Amino acid sequence: MEWGRCTDKELRELEAIVGAENLSTGESVIRLCSRDESYYTPENPPQVVVTPGSAEEISAILKIANPERIPVTARGAGTSIEGNPVPLFGGIVVDMQRFDKIVEIRPADFVAVVEAGVGYKDLNKAAGRHGLFFPPDPGAGAMIGGMIANNASGVRTIKYGATKDYVLKLTVVLADGEILETGSLATKSSSGYDLTRLFVGSEGTLGLFTQAALRLAGLPAHFSAALATFPTVEAAAEAVFEIMRWGFSPAALEILTAELVAMLNRDRELGLREEPTLFVEFHGASEVALEEELGPVQELCQDAGAISFQSGLGIGERNELWEARYEVYESIKRTHPGADPFVADVAVPISRYPEIIEYAGKVIRDCGVAGYPFGHAGDGNVHIVFMGDAQDKDGWEKIQKANQAIVTRALELEGTSTGEHGVGIGKRRFMEQEHGKSLELMRQIKALLDPQGILNPGKIFPSSSLPLDSS
Ligand SMILES: Cc1cc2nc3c(=O)[nH]c(=O)nc-3n(C[C@H](O)[C@H](O)[C@H](O)COP(=O)(O)OP(=O)(O)OC[C@H]3O[C@@H](n4cnc5c(N)ncnc54)[C@H](O)[C@@H]3O)c2cc1C
């Protein structure tokens, strides 16, 4: 079935809904809203970008788009790295930036009610005044709606959980324009199907969120941070497994290769030992509780062959390290000016972490590609940023092969093709392999909620007619 296009009539109707100042068909806006942080670009860019200001306006937009089968793609901050918000079949981009209100913070209930376009960093500034925070932390300037749609997580997920663990209620506009509320403010519920979590991770394919009630956590009273270095990245991964196996509960446990530490030293003058490194952080109610965890963790690292273990980092040093850690992706890009990044994001059960780290290193060497593994090790999550030229067919093919091999191994190890970045365009081709018959049920849910298929088409589900899925 053909996709619909906005004619002058629909463009006039859209303008009447959002106002002329909130509609653009200008080339630069269209280009901006055709991209995320990945290399994917649409062959058929969107026709129009609208910036509505209420759920009712989004509902009216969908009531125009749905009968004509005009694609509608929601856009948050556009920081995805799998092509998640890249509109593939023209149509309308719904830019959520005007949904920027923190509606309410209820400290006594540990709850924040926010609109979908609020940046999580802004939410954390406001919640911090009450001694609270929203723990999922993808690092980039993501919006709450985009984080919910991708089920984002980050460095603190190991202790606090991912976005899915914090969404209590959602206001969703469905494809036919109906406005729905799911969930409640109770922190637990056994009441019927969990529709809220059905929408979490749906990447804009089941509905557009306008507002969410989110659980908040108390800011930790004390923290301790440590750096451990190892002779090999495999030894560091072994230490990760031991720390988790013994039941410790770090707030962050990140792995970096010697090469990446060297890049951070270059960009930030950190003076770190250029060896495979673990960043470990603990949060606790007292200094004593933290020391009780850090001592045995140091021993476990030494048993795994640690060369050095530096604890007692002050707040300044610790913050500097985290800022540098968040910059890893940019540091890699600076090392390869003009090259295109391609990011792998597999996650495995923690006992298989050393295996996937070792395997990723072998694949990178065997394929002869530029690839940099790092990740949220305590979650069993490894990212590999590959750098190459997307226009160089042979070179890019090698990167695709390396990625394919690593994802396949992660699935063999009973893991997943994407720990936190979502399926978008890049991971569609692994969905069949990962989900088997469950993928058909996902297709049926999609067809039930969006029978015309207008919401962010071409994402999540593989199809032989889509480029990149036929190989
Ligand atoms: C340097 C860098 C580091 C990153 N690190 C991490 C990390 O550690 N952990 C992690 O999880 N991610 C990470 N990411 C990926 C990205 O930041 C997250 O996936 C983030 O949640 C995307 O949010 P966004 O607002 O940019 O959404 P967008 O990229 O704009 O959109 C994401 C998806 O959500 C949909 N969407 C957006 N808003 C809505 C809405 N209101 N209703 C319905 N659907 C909507 C879009 O259609 C799209 O499918 C990183 C990205 C970069 C560039």
Side-chain angles (χ1 to χ4, degrees):
M1 220 191 329
E2 289 288 296
W3 293 109
R5 284 183 63 76
C6 294
T7 63
D8 286 347
K9 172 178 165 286
E10 278 89 27
L11 289 174
R12 274 197 306 276
E13 287 171 354
L14 291 173
E15 189 176 302
I17 295 166
V18 295
E21 68 283 15
N22 294 312
L23 178 146
S24 178
T25 52
E27 203 184 315
S28 54
V29 174
I30 295 286
R31 202 176 320 118
L32 189 74
C33 293
S34 300
R35 301 285 320 244
D36 62 358
E37 288 284 330
S38 68
Y39 77 98
Y40 301 108
T41 43
E43 277 171 26
N44 188 1
Q47 286 180 273
V48 57
V49 176
V50 289
T51 313
S54 68
E56 289 70 25
E57 287 183 12
I58 295 185
S59 167
I61 293 164
L62 288 165
K63 281 179 182 160
I64 291 171
N66 196 39
E68 302 301 327
R69 210 164 178 256
I70 299 169
V72 174
T73 307
R75 184 174 181 84
T79 66
S80 292
I81 25 197
E82 289 292 358
N84 322 47
V86 174
L88 290 178
F89 301 106
I92 304 167
V93 167
V94 176
D95 176 352
M96 298 301 294
Q97 62 173 292
R98 284 176 66 212
F99 287 82
D100 59 355
K101 282 175 218 58
I102 296 175
V103 179
E104 187 184 14
I105 293 188
R106 296 169 57 155
D109 289 324
F110 288 68
V111 163
V113 180
V114 298
E115 291 188 334
V118 168
Y120 80 99
K121 291 182 184 174
D122 292 328
L123 169 60
N124 275 334
K125 270 189 212 142
R129 291 183 209 117
H130 303 278
L132 300 170
F133 77 123
F134 174 65
D137 181 2
M143 292 178 184
I144 294 296
M147 288 178 69
I148 295 172
N150 281 359
N151 187 22
S153 46
V155 296
R156 302 195 198 100
T157 301
I158 177 178
K159 183 178 178 76
Y160 295 96
T163 301
K164 71 177 166 50
D165 301 305
Y166 288 86
V167 187
L168 296 170
K169 278 186 78 168
L170 274 180
T171 307
V172 189
V173 190
L174 300 178
D176 62 2
E178 191 181 335
I179 302 173
L180 194 76
E181 285 215 354
T182 69
S184 77
L185 290 192
T187 50
K188 60 189 281 193
S189 169
S190 303
S191 181
Y193 299 142
D194 191 343
L195 294 183
T196 306
R197 245 143 300 272
L198 175 65
F199 287 105
V200 177
S202 60
E203 300 187 27
T205 64
L206 297 183
L208 272 63
F209 325 133
T210 56
Q211 189 166 301
L214 303 170
R215 210 158 62 77
L216 299 175
L219 278 168
H222 296 276
F223 77 90
S224 65
L227 277 177
T229 71
F230 294 83
T232 62
V233 75
E234 288 80 9
E238 197 58 45
V240 169
F241 169 53
E242 289 298 330
I243 292 168
M244 299 310 293
R245 182 165 79 94
W246 282 95
F248 292 98
S249 177
L253 182 48
E254 297 285 307
I255 198 166
L256 288 175
T257 60
E259 223 174 349
L260 290 175
V261 177
M263 283 184 203
L264 297 185
N265 277 342
R266 178 200 65 199
D267 288 352
R268 294 235 163 200
E269 296 177 9
L270 293 173
L272 297 173
R273 297 174 68 117
E274 294 181 0
E275 289 158 348
T277 298
L278 292 183
F279 285 4
V280 196
E281 182 165 307
F282 285 95
H283 292 173
S286 71
E287 303 266 0
V288 178
L290 292 176
E291 269 164 33
E292 274 172 9
E293 293 206 273
L294 212 51
V297 164
Q298 178 166 3
E299 277 173 30
L300 289 173
C301 286
Q302 280 159 351
D303 289 350
I307 302 168
S308 71
F309 190 92
Q310 185 192 353
S311 59
L313 302 177
I315 182 100
E317 208 175 345
R318 170 257 201 181
N319 288 350
E320 201 178 8
L321 281 173
W322 282 120
E323 272 172 34
R325 164 61 188 84
Y326 284 128
E327 280 281 304
V328 161
Y329 184 63
E330 293 305 322
S331 287
I332 295 170
K333 288 206 288 186
R334 272 195 286 276
T335 307
H336 296 268
D340 299 298
F342 183 92
V343 187
D345 165 42
V346 296
V348 295
I350 197 68
S351 64
R352 316 312 287 270
Y353 199 64
E355 226 170 312
I356 195 74
I357 285 286
E358 189 181 346
Y359 185 74
K362 181 177 171 336
V363 168
I364 290 166
R365 283 190 303 277
D366 290 354
C367 292
V369 292
Y372 303 93
F374 61 98
H376 312 308
D379 302 325
N381 192 191
V382 56
H383 301 314
I384 298 117
V385 178
F386 296 102
M387 297 300 296
D389 177 359
Q391 305 309 317
D392 164 18
K393 201 168 170 289
D394 291 346
W396 204 245
E397 184 87 25
K398 277 189 196 169
I399 288 178
Q400 301 295 319
K401 279 206 173 117
N403 179 50
Q404 171 109 22
I406 292 165
V407 173
T408 302
R409 177 55 64 92
L411 296 179
E412 286 163 4
L413 297 176
E414 299 176 87
T416 175
S417 62
T418 168
E420 56 183 22
H421 296 161
V423 181
I425 299 167
K427 294 287 158 37
R428 287 182 316 215
R429 77 190 88 165
F430 303 111
M431 293 297 275
E432 206 93 57
Q433 200 181 342
E434 180 164 353
H435 296 288
K437 281 186 189 160
S438 305
L439 188 62
E440 187 46 38
L441 183 58
M442 289 189 210
R443 284 190 203 276
Q444 288 169 10
I445 292 169
K446 166 75 175 168
L448 180 72
L449 291 178
D450 179 16
Q452 296 275 63
I454 60 165
L455 297 181
N456 204 6
K459 306 302 164 56
I460 298 186
F461 299 102
S463 158
S464 55
S465 63
L466 289 168
L468 302 171
D469 286 351
S470 37
S471 59

